[in-house]
Amino acid sequence: MELWRRESNWDQNAVDPDSGALGIPQVLGYDTAKTAPGTRVIGDRSRDEYGPDFGLTTSQAAAANDGSAYAQILWGIGFIADTYGGPSEALAVHDEYDRY
């Protein structure tokens, strides 16, 4: 998927230094309550966490946070479907942000 190539180059360990977004789909703080970013500190840096939402179980969310590409992709597919409706719509929004 072109969107994830742009976001992380398909690197399950990618962390955006500015936002803390994590992994292949670059999650931005979706914790279990979805009320505030869920973060964990690794070394001296905070990073956002995958929560058991958008189709993941708690154990799959933990695996995504530990770098499981499979679990991150499952989460990303669920997030895109829930938020944008599909990959084409998500890419169109990303393209619009890139214009500014």
Side-chain angles (χ1 to χ4, degrees):
M1 178 197 260
E2 174 64 13
L3 179 63
W4 292 343
R5 185 196 62 75
R6 293 181 194 178
E7 289 287 333
S8 66
N9 204 28
W10 288 89
D11 179 357
Q12 70 264 27
N13 298 307
V15 178
D16 184 297
D18 297 321
S19 70
L22 171 65
I24 293 168
Q26 292 288 279
V27 69
L28 283 168
Y30 287 88
D31 66 351
T32 54
K34 292 200 245 178
T35 56
T39 60
R40 49 185 350 198
V41 176
I42 305 231
D44 61 348
R45 298 183 62 178
S46 292
R47 69 178 193 181
D48 288 324
E49 283 192 299
Y50 291 83
D53 48 11
F54 302 113
L56 292 188
T57 65
T58 300
S59 62
Q60 287 171 323
N65 285 312
D66 288 336
S68 167
Y70 176 75
Q72 291 178 9
I73 290 166
L74 285 178
W75 185 95
I77 290 168
F79 174 80
I80 286 170
D82 186 71
T83 306
Y84 302 102
S88 297
E89 294 85 355
L91 187 57
V93 169
H94 192 276
D95 287 345
E96 190 64 30
Y97 284 131
D98 283 350
R99 296 171 88 188
Y100 299 103

